[in-house]
Amino acid sequence: MRPEDLPPLPEAPGVYLWKDGVRILYVGKAKNLKARVNSYFHSEGKSLRIAQEATSLEFILARDEVEALLLEANLIKHHRPHYNVLLKDDKHYPFLKLTKEEWPMLLVVRRVQDDGARYWGPFPEASAVRRIKRLIDRYFLLRKNSGYPFRRRRYPCLNHAMGRCLAPCVGQADPESYHTAVKQVEDLLDGKIETLYASLEAQMREAARQQDFERAAEIRDQIAAIRSFFGTAQQAYDPEMGDLDFIGFARAGEYAMLQHYQVRGGQMLGRISRFIEGIGDASDAELLEAFLRDYYLEATPLPPLVLLPFALEVQEAFAAFLSAKGRKVEVRVPQRGEKTRLIELAQKNAQAALETELKLLERKGDHPALKGLMELLGLSRRPHRIEGYDVSNLLGESPVGSIVVFEGGRPKRSEYRRLKIRGLQGRPDDYKALEETLARRFSGSLSRQMPIPDLILIDGGLGQVRAAERGLQQAGLRLPLVGLAKREETLVLPDGRTLALPLTHPALQLLIHIRDETHRNGLTFHRKERSRKALKSIFDDIRGIGPARKRVLLQHFSSLEELRAASLEELARLPGMDRRSAQAVVRALQELPNHPASP
């Protein structure tokens, strides 16, 4: 679609729908329809793709930005457009529903309907709903078994006999007493605990005044049960904090985690988590807005304060949208004090939950980094096998090429290799060493032992990547290559382009892991070389240790630490050794500076 194909757009708030024939591609809202829609043709990425793919545009005017926000939410929920962020979640979180009838009853439901009933939720956990429902069923005498809608019965149920129902179904309930119980349930679920306590205590005093001590004792037990449940059953924060919601957000490449926490009366009620996959180039703001839209379209009752991890353009409009549902709601990003610590807690937990989800994907063989690498590097398939390469030397000596192998995002240590570099003639040259390592890996005996990788990672920048390319050319191969520059953790491509990814991106995290393993593999070789040189120099100076015994000791012990841990008897039992030569070795170890004597 071209800008000249657009219909005349007003400079007014409303909702616009990009369409491809009858299919709706994207639904958006705007304070100024004309300015917002025209901006698509001057954007990049998803916005420009939507405008180019669309064949028509429709719009609906709204009275203000708040009405546009509500209309957008309903249209997205109904049409589920391709380019809108859709939070796919197979969980329907539970609500408590108080029916609107002459004799209301309390139900656990999974959907909110426009039927005049009162709803509370969504609750993060079904177990929490069941506990609250059991408490209410035990101590508040609402009907339970006469159906919805209300139906009369011939005989009262067992709950009436147990003193847990006023039995309106057989005409035995006093309307005033029943509606007092309904009001108390509403106060309890609204978080008006002190109001409820005052009402119950007044009833208890009145029962005692009328010398109905059995009823007074029942109300006393009711108050104690409520205090016990809401005082200790949940994790408490500062009671002065009152009612609020706060949200944590974490993102890694194509994946994100949103966590919503409820605090009521200063107590944590629980959290709702949403793990989102395949988010593409959606911004953090789009993801958070989509979550707020999905959650708060039905959530009730609302707290007076909602805390966000970062600011949104629609923040004020969203606060007005929530306030229009019944009570004034403030939406803000905390800047200091206890509320900033709540957001920090939510962010930390969201990041931990995201890492857990990514590890679960990895265990299932669907490592999240592999798809990301395929898309970032333009590969034809996921790089199941990745080989990492590095070269290192010990103070300019003993250069070695280090090779590590990862399959499915996991290290395959049985195929780690080290190659001693032979073609440098005593002069350090990392580029030549890397070129030799690649050439020998893909043209020597290793080429027959190890399969061809899907991707090669080089520890270094463009110079190292070009050296690796020359090594592959010597072997007659062209394979996907990428370098990882240490300082900036930037991806370097053979054509000179660089890619900077956030440190939390799964693809970058995997490449860093491979690079660090490659480096560690080389260092392990040098530590062993250093230990063996130290051993050789020690044996050269020990009287009674000739070439044959020296060869036996070097074959049996790979490091100075192993030799130091050996006992005199163990040394004497080695082939060609005796007690006198073993004692000579122990004395030599004792004379080493800064090393304790071996036992």
Side-chain angles (χ1 to χ4, degrees):
M1 191 172 183
R2 298 169 301 174
E4 54 267 29
D5 297 327
L6 291 173
L9 292 164
E11 297 180 1
V15 173
Y16 54 92
L17 298 86
W18 291 103
K19 301 180 73 175
D20 177 14
V22 296
R23 183 172 65 119
I24 297 176
L25 299 176
Y26 185 80
V27 174
K29 63 185 173 304
K31 188 185 295 185
N32 183 323
L33 282 169
K34 183 176 182 179
R36 180 71 187 97
V37 170
N38 280 312
S39 71
Y40 275 71
F41 296 95
H42 307 289
S43 303
E44 296 180 353
K46 184 173 77 172
S47 295
L48 186 58
R49 286 201 307 275
I50 292 171
Q52 290 174 339
E53 190 174 334
T55 57
S56 64
L57 181 127
E58 294 180 3
F59 63 90
I60 304 171
L61 291 176
R63 285 176 296 184
D64 51 35
E65 196 176 1
V66 176
E67 188 176 79
L69 188 67
L70 176 60
L71 182 57
E72 178 202 39
N74 286 319
L75 287 171
I76 290 172
K77 184 177 180 181
H78 179 70
H79 294 291
R80 302 188 66 79
H82 174 69
Y83 280 108
N84 282 97
V85 175
L86 304 173
L87 304 187
K88 299 173 184 175
D89 189 8
D90 58 359
K91 295 179 182 176
H92 297 301
Y93 292 98
F95 291 78
L96 282 171
K97 172 181 178 177
L98 188 65
T99 62
K100 187 180 181 181
E101 302 174 275
E102 181 183 1
W103 308 100
M105 71 181 297
L106 191 67
L107 303 170
V108 176
V109 298
R110 297 278 176 173
R111 298 287 186 188
V112 174
Q113 297 176 320
D114 187 13
D115 56 3
R118 283 210 64 188
Y119 290 85
W120 290 267
F123 288 87
E125 298 174 2
S127 59
V129 177
R130 288 193 294 269
R131 289 197 303 271
I132 295 172
K133 179 82 163 48
R134 280 197 299 267
L135 174 76
I136 292 172
D137 287 346
R138 171 68 180 83
Y139 291 104
F140 298 88
L141 311 183
L142 303 188
R143 66 186 183 88
K144 303 167 185 66
N145 293 323
S146 46
Y148 175 64
F150 172 74
R151 292 190 300 272
R152 290 200 169 272
R153 296 167 59 101
R154 179 176 298 181
Y155 304 105
C157 66
L158 186 59
N159 283 306
H160 177 65
M162 296 170 63
R164 295 186 179 182
C165 180
L166 294 173
C169 58
V170 293
Q172 294 188 18
D174 172 50
E176 185 177 348
S177 298
Y178 196 92
H179 289 99
T180 297
V182 170
K183 179 65 168 63
Q184 289 172 346
V185 169
E186 289 181 313
D187 287 342
L188 176 67
L189 295 176
D190 285 339
K192 300 176 182 177
I193 305 297
E194 297 306 321
T195 303
L196 175 60
Y197 289 152
S199 172
L200 290 172
E201 286 168 358
Q203 284 184 270
M204 182 174 64
R205 287 193 297 270
E206 178 61 24
R209 189 182 67 78
Q210 295 181 6
Q211 298 187 355
D212 187 354
F213 299 115
E214 185 177 350
R215 176 61 182 153
E218 288 176 356
I219 298 172
R220 179 201 62 200
D221 293 345
Q222 186 178 9
I223 293 172
I226 296 168
R227 286 192 189 280
S228 174
F229 184 88
F230 286 96
T232 61
Q234 290 132 12
Q235 179 181 0
Y237 283 91
D238 183 356
E240 296 181 1
M241 197 172 295
D243 298 348
L244 61 87
D245 292 352
F246 61 99
I247 297 166
F249 176 87
R251 178 174 184 163
E254 292 284 305
Y255 304 86
M257 175 65 71
L258 283 140
Q259 291 193 327
H260 178 278
Y261 294 79
Q262 294 178 349
V263 176
R264 298 294 182 266
Q267 297 165 338
M268 175 81 78
L269 294 185
R271 73 182 178 195
I272 288 174
S273 296
R274 291 278 183 92
F275 176 55
I276 314 168
E277 304 179 58
I279 56 181
D281 54 1
S283 67
D284 292 354
E286 282 184 275
L287 296 171
L288 181 55
E289 282 183 37
F291 176 81
L292 296 174
R293 179 187 69 228
D294 278 18
Y295 179 84
Y296 285 105
L297 195 61
E298 293 186 340
T300 181
L302 298 176
L305 178 62
V306 177
L307 302 177
L308 303 182
F310 49 83
L312 298 174
E313 285 185 19
V314 297
Q315 204 164 296
E316 290 185 13
F318 187 69
F321 162 69
L322 295 183
S323 300
K325 297 180 76 172
R327 68 184 295 181
K328 182 172 175 56
V329 179
E330 181 185 4
V331 180
R332 61 183 169 91
V333 180
Q335 301 299 323
R336 58 184 178 273
E338 183 64 26
K339 292 180 175 61
T340 61
R341 287 188 282 276
L342 286 180
I343 289 295
E344 289 169 4
L345 169 74
Q347 295 290 82
K348 184 177 179 181
N349 277 280
Q351 185 62 45
L354 177 59
E355 290 171 2
T356 299
E357 290 288 349
L358 296 181
K359 286 176 182 175
L360 290 173
L361 286 177
E362 181 180 341
R363 285 181 191 172
K364 292 188 292 186
D366 188 21
H367 195 291
L370 302 182
K371 181 182 177 184
L373 281 171
M374 180 181 73
E375 294 173 351
L376 286 167
L377 304 178
L379 306 178
S380 58
R381 62 180 180 179
R382 293 192 184 197
H384 175 72
R385 182 185 175 94
I386 304 175
E387 293 186 5
Y389 289 80
D390 185 23
V391 293
S392 55
N393 56 71
L394 180 63
L395 300 176
E397 299 180 358
S398 306
V400 62
S402 171
I403 307 171
V404 302
V405 177
F406 276 55
E407 288 190 351
R410 293 170 174 269
K412 191 174 183 180
R413 292 187 173 85
S414 62
E415 294 197 21
Y416 284 16
R417 297 290 186 271
R418 304 181 192 104
L419 302 179
K420 289 185 180 180
I421 305 302
R422 300 188 290 240
L424 298 185
Q425 289 128 15
R427 52 186 175 78
D429 187 333
D430 285 353
Y431 295 153
K432 284 289 184 183
L434 194 56
E435 183 179 332
E436 179 182 324
T437 300
L438 271 291
R440 288 171 56 191
R441 154 64 180 97
F442 291 102
S443 60
S445 60
L446 286 180
S447 65
R448 296 185 292 274
Q449 299 170 13
M450 299 166 66
I452 297 293
D454 301 309
L455 177 65
I456 291 174
L457 172 67
I458 304 300
D459 180 10
L462 185 59
Q464 283 84 358
V465 171
R466 295 273 171 82
E469 267 195 317
R470 291 194 294 271
L472 287 174
Q473 287 170 3
Q474 291 179 33
L477 291 175
R478 287 179 61 86
L479 296 174
L481 271 174
V482 64
L484 183 59
K486 280 191 180 75
R487 185 172 297 176
E488 300 86 4
E489 304 291 20
T490 302
L491 304 191
V492 180
L493 303 180
D495 60 8
R497 289 182 297 126
T498 60
L499 296 172
L501 301 175
L503 284 174
T504 56
H505 198 293
L508 181 58
Q509 289 181 340
L510 176 61
L511 294 181
I512 290 174
H513 186 190
I514 297 172
R515 190 269 314 281
D516 291 346
E517 274 289 280
T518 311
H519 193 57
R520 185 193 61 77
N521 188 42
L523 285 179
T524 301
F525 169 81
H526 283 307
R527 288 194 189 101
K528 288 186 176 180
E529 283 292 294
R530 187 163 54 241
S531 293
R532 291 185 68 81
K533 286 181 179 180
L535 282 174
K536 287 179 181 179
S537 64
I538 291 170
F539 297 147
D540 287 342
D541 299 328
I542 299 176
R543 195 166 184 174
I545 301 297
R549 284 174 172 165
K550 180 178 176 181
R551 187 163 51 252
V552 167
L553 289 167
L554 286 172
Q555 287 173 350
H556 193 79
F557 300 104
S558 62
S559 69
L560 192 58
E561 287 73 19
E562 286 185 23
L563 179 62
R564 205 179 281 124
S567 65
L568 179 65
E569 289 72 19
E570 185 181 351
L571 290 170
R573 286 197 298 268
L574 293 175
M577 295 286 289
D578 55 25
R579 189 168 185 82
R580 180 179 294 178
S581 59
Q583 287 174 336
V585 172
V586 170
R587 280 196 300 272
L589 290 173
Q590 290 172 340
E591 293 171 2
L592 288 176
N594 301 322
H595 290 293
S598 296

